[in-house]
Amino acid sequence: MAGREAETLHRELQYIGQNWRWGFGITDTAKRLKWFKLALDPDKTKLYSQLAHVDPDERAASPNRRQTPETLTTDYLTSLRIHFEAVLAKVLGSEAASTTPIEYILTVPAIWSDSAIAKTKACAEAAGMGLSAEIQIISEPEAAAVSVFHEQAAYGMDKDDTFVICDAGGGTVDLITYKIRALKPSLRIVEVAKGEGGMCGSTFLDRRFEAFLRNKFRSHYMWKEGMLEQAIKTFAREIKVNFTGCKTDSYEVPVPLPNSSEDDPICIRGSRYRFNGSDVFDIFEPVIQEVINLVKRQIQASSAVGADVKAVILVGGFGESQYLYKRLQEALGHQSVEVRMSHQAMTAVVRGALIRGLEEAKSKTALGTVTGRIARNHYGTECARKYEKNLHLKSQRFWSKVSNRYKVNTYEWFIQKCQKVNAKQKIHRSFHVERPVSTKKLEPVKITIVKCEEDEAPTFIDDNRVRDVTNLQVPLAKIKLNNIPTRKDEDGNSWYIIDFSLRATCYSAETHYDLMHNKKNYGRVTAEYV
């Protein structure tokens, strides 16, 4: 891959029997598996814009039944790890490389679900990157924010200023809004508006250019598949990056066809097809407009909570586009919102993740850069409450022999949608379970964490607006039986009355749960994401 630093390494796989090629090792004309990272998160399908349907990928292959998003991601990460280890051995020498401790940091979109994060970590573990519990996870906008402040891309911004990180990559564009809480002794920012994203990255420019060429040449008598590969590469490497929006500029790309006649509107000279800036403008326009709409909605969401955005900072490969920068300036100028471009936009997320990882390694108690985040959903659990005829339906009540009263199952929401959750904040949720004293060993109790994406969360069970997030296996056997009080039911049977709590700790891109009883921590609870 030497000499190709200016290109983005695409997450692509080509299978040949039981083996596979990846990244730049895939031949230009080969069918390849793509977009498998997005498939780790079923909720991510909401990001599919009209572009994904109008401009399908001609070279994308369909996975077979064994090629799940998890197996594809694992194979890709395995290839990445092997390549990294080979490069490290060349730089440090084989002996030094083999004894050098390595920690892996994974970055994920801010809008990634808990389930997708757990799957990503499991794939990394299967790929040989270490135990899942030891792999660090950081959200991509947070990593980008760390990077841009280190490189002075946020120069001139002060405490209480609000800015939007626009991570414009190849497939997706993700946005999130932060407010600066402190600049010294270290950067501290808080999320002020729920992030969003869409599938409108620069890959769609490549797709649209390919469709443009196919429409021009598909009917040519010398047409054959694969002849446009060099033209598409030239567009991606040169034209896409340098296009400024000028419709009178002219461009050319290699197309292996004979010279056209003088009166032919399709101009080919010396096996090069010539076209003008207006064609490139038409290719860019739907994609650019999609990004502008996303940015405007993010700014509006920030204003709605009283946070006026001072600047939009572009990161990611597409974030290096001069034309995207220019169009956003034009679109936001009347709102007095400044548009800035990271000096190292393509690698901002990677650089920021490394900086953040080093900070975490120095101090495990450090809050991190982002000290507060906005909950994207309501999160809660089912619970049994005392039945009250003025609040609950009679048909849903049941009799509890131990409590000697009617109860009803409801949802209890311990995090509200759009609630601010502080970094490493510990949120306690109390539970009450009853087990017969005749039980020699307390079996684990399963508690399901649920979420609701609606603004108003329901109270009653079996609402189709509620979805399971994760099943927690709570190891009650860790609690000594002689520390648990007992009670007799109306039939004279003795029951253990177990009042415990789960302590949820919120990190950059994931949540950990611990079992608490009588103020004692009994350790991490196993989470099985749905």
Side-chain angles (χ1 to χ4, degrees):
M1 297 182 194
R4 306 186 72 167
E5 294 85 358
E7 292 182 62
T8 300
L9 177 62
H10 296 297
R11 284 181 289 269
E12 300 175 347
L13 292 168
Q14 176 197 5
Y15 283 86
I16 305 170
Q18 296 299 313
N19 300 315
W20 67 84
R21 293 174 179 169
W22 70 294
F24 295 132
I26 301 174
T27 55
D28 292 338
T29 59
K31 290 280 188 179
R32 73 279 313 275
L33 292 155
K34 312 174 74 171
W35 306 103
F36 44 84
K37 173 187 172 182
L38 291 178
L40 288 174
D41 192 350
D43 291 342
K44 202 75 170 180
T45 56
K46 296 174 184 176
L47 297 182
Y48 278 71
S49 65
Q50 186 66 18
L51 295 170
H53 302 288
V54 173
D55 301 304
D57 194 329
E58 297 281 352
R59 292 177 293 173
S62 298
N64 60 40
R65 287 182 297 176
R66 290 173 295 188
Q67 293 169 338
T68 65
E70 289 87 345
T71 59
L72 295 174
T73 301
T74 299
D75 287 348
Y76 182 84
L77 291 177
T78 299
S79 297
L80 192 63
R81 177 187 59 78
I82 292 171
H83 174 74
F84 165 72
E85 290 174 352
V87 171
L88 195 65
K90 290 178 183 178
V91 174
L92 300 180
S94 299
E95 185 176 346
S98 64
T99 57
T100 299
I102 299 173
E103 292 184 23
Y104 289 90
I105 304 171
L106 302 179
T107 64
V108 295
I111 53 179
W112 219 230
S113 70
D114 294 326
S115 174
I117 292 169
K119 290 176 185 176
T120 303
K121 294 183 74 172
C123 291
E125 180 174 348
M129 291 182 171
L131 296 176
S132 176
E134 298 173 355
I135 295 172
Q136 291 189 56
I137 291 281
I138 183 171
S139 73
E140 288 164 0
E142 177 176 348
V146 172
S147 178
V148 298
F149 273 85
H150 271 76
E151 69 178 40
Q152 300 299 313
Y155 178 78
M157 299 194 73
D158 299 315
K159 183 178 180 292
D160 295 327
D161 283 345
T162 300
F163 63 97
V164 172
I165 289 288
C166 177
D167 182 6
T172 61
V173 175
D174 294 307
L175 300 103
I176 201 163
T177 306
Y178 293 120
K179 175 174 280 191
I180 299 172
R181 287 300 187 205
L183 290 167
K184 294 180 180 181
S186 58
L187 175 66
R188 293 289 180 265
I189 55 179
V190 61
E191 186 181 335
V192 295
K194 187 177 74 169
E196 67 169 318
M199 289 184 66
C200 49
S202 63
T203 296
F204 290 97
L205 297 175
D206 300 343
R207 289 193 192 184
R208 288 181 57 78
F209 181 67
E210 182 174 359
F212 165 76
L213 292 183
R214 284 178 175 273
N215 290 336
K216 293 287 184 183
F217 299 113
R218 195 190 296 271
S219 59
H220 195 283
Y221 73 97
M222 292 184 64
W223 162 265
K224 60 180 179 180
E225 289 293 335
M227 67 165 40
L228 302 178
E229 295 305 321
Q230 290 304 314
I232 295 168
K233 283 187 175 182
T234 300
F235 174 81
R237 293 173 180 171
E238 301 173 15
I239 300 172
K240 183 169 68 174
V241 176
N242 298 316
F243 180 63
T244 62
C246 181
K247 296 183 180 181
T248 58
D249 286 347
S250 60
Y251 301 92
E252 57 180 48
V253 292
V255 175
L257 290 174
N259 290 348
S260 57
S261 60
E262 292 293 336
D263 58 347
D264 192 332
I266 300 176
C267 181
I268 299 177
R269 294 290 183 272
S271 297
R272 298 186 72 82
Y273 169 56
R274 299 178 183 178
F275 54 101
N276 57 44
S278 62
D279 296 317
V280 183
F281 176 88
D282 292 340
I283 290 166
F284 267 79
E285 188 57 22
V287 182
I288 293 292
Q289 199 56 57
E290 193 89 27
V291 178
I292 290 173
N293 291 340
L294 279 173
V295 173
K296 283 185 174 180
R297 287 202 298 269
Q298 189 69 18
I299 292 172
Q300 290 169 358
S302 303
S303 297
V305 295
D308 294 330
V309 173
K310 180 176 182 178
V312 174
I313 302 176
L314 293 172
V315 299
F318 194 17
E320 293 184 335
S321 167
Q322 294 295 328
Y323 185 53
L324 176 60
Y325 172 77
K326 174 184 174 182
R327 288 293 300 276
L328 282 172
Q329 278 188 316
E330 293 171 352
L332 305 177
H334 68 284
Q335 299 182 42
S336 299
V337 176
E338 187 179 0
V339 180
R340 299 185 183 185
M341 183 185 293
S342 168
H343 300 306
Q344 297 170 313
M346 185 178 291
T347 58
V349 170
V350 175
R351 291 165 56 82
L354 289 172
I355 294 168
R356 180 68 186 89
L358 290 171
E359 290 176 352
E360 188 78 17
K362 289 179 182 178
S363 174
K364 295 296 183 183
T365 59
L367 286 178
T369 302
V370 179
T371 61
R373 297 172 181 85
I374 302 298
R376 283 153 179 76
N377 307 289
H378 299 280
Y379 290 93
T381 60
E382 292 186 18
C383 69
R385 296 184 179 215
K386 176 184 176 182
Y387 169 72
E388 298 182 43
K389 64 180 181 179
N390 294 330
L391 296 176
H392 305 127
L393 298 174
K394 186 176 181 180
S395 60
Q396 294 183 333
R397 70 180 186 176
F398 61 90
W399 181 254
S400 170
K401 289 184 178 181
V402 180
S403 301
N404 197 30
R405 64 174 58 155
Y406 281 111
K407 290 187 174 182
V408 62
N409 287 323
T410 65
Y411 289 119
E412 183 171 307
W413 305 99
F414 56 86
I415 294 179
Q416 306 296 320
K417 183 177 179 179
C418 295
Q419 173 185 334
K420 178 187 170 185
V421 180
N422 293 326
K424 298 187 180 181
Q425 178 178 342
K426 301 184 189 310
I427 301 172
H428 291 260
R429 164 74 174 89
S430 298
F431 294 89
H432 173 93
V433 296
E434 300 151 353
R435 294 290 184 269
V437 171
S438 58
T439 301
K440 294 182 180 180
K441 180 182 178 182
L442 294 177
E443 295 297 327
V445 59
K446 185 179 85 168
I447 294 175
T448 300
I449 305 295
V450 297
K451 71 176 182 180
C452 176
E453 299 178 0
E454 304 294 327
D455 292 337
E456 294 292 331
T459 300
F460 297 107
I461 305 300
D462 297 330
D463 193 295
N464 58 14
R465 294 173 295 171
V466 176
R467 295 173 55 187
D468 293 351
V469 175
T470 181
N471 295 319
L472 303 178
Q473 298 294 333
V474 183
L476 296 181
K478 288 186 175 182
I479 304 173
K480 293 182 179 180
L481 294 178
N482 57 10
N483 290 335
I484 303 175
T486 60
R487 180 190 302 164
K488 291 184 181 295
D489 64 19
E490 58 188 25
D491 297 326
N493 299 313
S494 294
W495 293 75
Y496 287 116
I497 308 302
I498 311 167
D499 292 298
F500 66 94
S501 67
L502 289 178
R503 188 182 70 185
T505 307
C506 305
Y507 293 90
S508 172
E510 57 185 336
T511 303
H512 295 167
Y513 299 91
D514 293 285
L515 169 62
M516 307 292 294
H517 182 260
N518 286 341
K519 297 182 179 181
K520 181 179 179 179
N521 188 339
Y522 285 85
R524 183 79 57 85
V525 175
T526 301
E528 299 172 352
Y529 287 89
V530 179

